[in-house]
Amino acid sequence: MNKVEHIGIAVKNLENSNELFAKLLGSPSYKTEAVESEGVKTSFFKVGENKIELLEATKADSPIAKFIEKKGEGVHHIAFDVEDIEKEIKRLKAEGFTVLNDVPKKGADNKLVVFLHPKSTNGVLIELCQEINFNE
């Protein structure tokens, strides 16, 4: 794992949260995007070398909607940048971690993503992210 890629925060209202985080961080969101497969709208902020991703549910049965219903708004996941997501999946499985999706899927911000079950990571949902290279 190379670095923390972003911290994901579940929010009830993306528009209101964008205003709040723009004030908090001193700059506006640089990107908003819908990820239909996950039933979510996202918004990204840069904080130095790091990013914050705000996530709003677009479907009542989406993972973000379920998270907010159970735990309320707040930190949803920590994402780590990896160079070879397939290799990391194999390594982490061999180490005993539970991978939620064996095959990486397209996520927000031009990334392939996979998640590790919080039960195997001390209660923290971990996301692995690999930049999609369109030249390959």
Side-chain angles (χ1 to χ4, degrees), residues 5-51:
E5 211 284 326
H6 67 267
I7 297 172
I9 300 174
V11 301
K12 291 179 182 176
N13 183 298
L14 193 61
E15 187 176 324
N16 290 346
S17 295
N18 276 340
E19 289 178 26
L20 175 91
F21 275 81
K23 289 177 190 175
L24 175 70
L25 302 172
S27 62
S29 166
Y30 71 88
K31 179 182 198 175
T32 57
E33 179 179 353
V35 182
E36 297 297 330
S37 63
E38 297 300 308
V40 71
K41 285 192 304 187
T42 67
S43 180
F44 286 90
F45 290 82
K46 275 279 211 192
V47 184
E49 293 294 314
N50 301 302
K51 293 188 279 187

Side-chain angles (χ1 to χ4, degrees), residues 50-61:
N50 301 302
K51 293 188 279 187
I52 300 290
E53 177 188 30
L54 304 181
L55 304 115
E56 176 191 67
T58 58
K59 298 178 190 170
D61 63 344

Side-chain angles (χ1 to χ4, degrees), residues 64-99:
I64 295 299
K66 291 176 184 175
F67 177 89
I68 289 174
E69 184 179 306
K70 187 175 180 181
K71 297 184 179 184
E73 294 179 294
V75 174
H76 179 260
H77 66 270
I78 299 175
F80 292 93
D81 175 68
V82 299
E83 259 178 64
D84 186 337
I85 200 165
E86 299 281 351
K87 187 176 179 181
E88 278 300 294
I89 291 169
K90 289 177 188 164
R91 181 185 76 79
L92 293 167
K93 279 183 164 183
E95 292 286 353
F97 292 94
T98 303
V99 178

